[in-house]
């Protein structure tokens, strides 16, 4: 942390951002050093052991209606299996990060994940409507 602060001072950056879950013990260390909490990035943890019926009920009426609307409008979810699919995911991801004002990870990072994790242990999904890709998830 001291090294990061030293580099930030040398580079005369406007701010130094460190991402850590608020609930972690590390967060209090950052607070003690004068770091402020931001709430525009969130961590979602979902208990998948509940089963699909229970999860469907828990996402709420508004989200269920949005899923139904997407289905009605021909949006389908496909699993990315090829390097070309991964490039489509990356383009969607990069555009989202740019819109949010955050630097994206390099494509090399996702490519390495694709290579390191066996096919049955990685999941990359793409939402498309016709030939247009709308979103992706990892």
């Amino acid at each position: 942390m001291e090294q990061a602060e030293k580099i930030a001072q040398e580079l005369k950056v406007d701010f130094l951002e460190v991402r850590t879950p608020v609930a972690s013990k590390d967060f209090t260390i950052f607070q003690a050093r004068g770091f402020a909490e931001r709430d525009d990035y969130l961590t979602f943890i979902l208990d998948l052991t509940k089963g699909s019926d229970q999860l469907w009920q828990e996402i709420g009426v508004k989200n269920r209606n949005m899923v139904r609307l997407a289905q009605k409008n021909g949006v389908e979810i496909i699993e990315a299996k090829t390097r070309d699919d991964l490039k489509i995911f990356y383009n969607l991801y990069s555009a989202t990060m740019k819109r949010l004002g955050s630097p994206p990870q390099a494509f090399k990072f996702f490519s390495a994940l694709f290579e390191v994790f066996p096919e049955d242990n990685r999941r990359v999904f793409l939402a498309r409507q016709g030939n247009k890709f709308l979103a992706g998830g990892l």
Side-chain angles (χ1 to χ4, degrees), residues 72-134:
K72 179 180 173 184
N73 286 305
V75 175
E76 62 179 331
I77 305 299
I78 62 167
E79 189 167 357
K81 296 285 188 182
T82 68
R83 179 99 23 224
D84 287 340
D85 292 341
L86 185 61
K87 288 178 184 175
I88 292 167
F89 166 82
Y90 185 77
N91 289 336
L92 292 163
Y93 159 77
S94 295
T96 299
M97 296 306 286
K98 182 177 181 179
R99 183 175 46 81
L100 294 173
S102 291
Q105 292 283 353
F107 178 75
K108 186 176 180 180
F109 171 78
F110 293 99
S111 183
L113 288 177
F114 218 66
E115 291 172 17
V116 169
F117 287 96
E119 190 173 326
D120 60 340
N121 268 349
R122 69 169 186 253
R123 297 289 184 263
V124 180
F125 295 98
L126 298 167
R128 75 173 176 206
Q129 186 178 35
N131 292 326
K132 182 177 180 183
F133 288 92
L134 309 171

